[in-house]
Amino acid sequence: MPVDIDDLVTFSNHPLTPTASEPPPERRLEGTPKQGVANYFTDATGQLDAGFWESEPGKWHAVSERNEFCYILEGHVRIADERGNSKDFRKGDAFLIPYGFKGTWQILEFTKKYYVIFVPKDR
């Protein structure tokens, strides 16, 4: 089946209203951050997702069982590894969290991001 221009996924149109969510209680470290996610695309294999995510301030344990590319649209995020080393990301920053990362996500200011997630089947 041919793919044409109408099949392109245009993130800037924000076609979906984010679905409410929050980190699971057992992973929360600070606050009860309200979050929203709007998945714009899932490929036919179910391994690749892309969309929009937002979160209020809070902090939780992060265990990455996927590869995730993030592009920060607004806000301030601090990601720390298990040893306590951390990096801050703000509007315009892009980064990739590789499969197997363990640490914390901390939202310091209300944050919005685009994401692209790939979940390897062989892991």
Side-chain angles (χ1 to χ4, degrees):
M1 188 160 133
V3 176
D4 61 29
I5 197 69
D6 292 331
D7 295 311
L8 296 181
V9 179
T10 307
F11 282 52
S12 61
N13 287 348
H14 298 289
L16 302 173
T17 301
T19 301
S21 67
E22 56 188 47
E26 66 276 9
R27 291 177 55 191
R28 288 185 213 141
L29 296 170
E30 293 176 11
T32 307
K34 300 297 180 203
Q35 300 175 338
V37 64
N39 199 62
Y40 296 165
F41 176 81
T42 300
D43 76 339
T45 70
Q47 291 179 267
L48 182 72
D49 290 309
F52 171 82
W53 176 89
E54 62 187 11
S55 179
E56 295 176 346
K59 184 177 180 180
W60 58 90
H61 288 288
V63 178
S64 185
E65 296 175 342
R66 57 203 183 177
N67 297 300
E68 181 176 1
F69 172 82
C70 303
Y71 178 78
I72 304 296
L73 297 166
E74 75 176 65
H76 183 185
V77 175
R78 178 170 296 138
I79 300 175
D81 64 23
E82 289 182 298
R83 293 182 301 260
N85 302 311
S86 66
K87 291 188 178 182
D88 285 24
F89 300 97
R90 293 177 175 83
K91 180 179 179 176
D93 289 336
F95 56 95
L96 185 131
I97 301 172
Y99 182 98
F101 175 84
K102 292 180 182 178
T104 60
W105 268 81
Q106 184 174 11
I107 307 302
L108 299 166
E109 298 172 4
F110 181 79
T111 296
K112 295 180 180 184
K113 73 174 182 178
Y114 289 139
Y115 64 82
V116 178
I117 295 171
F118 180 75
V119 180
K121 283 190 174 182
D122 61 341
R123 303 260 176 164

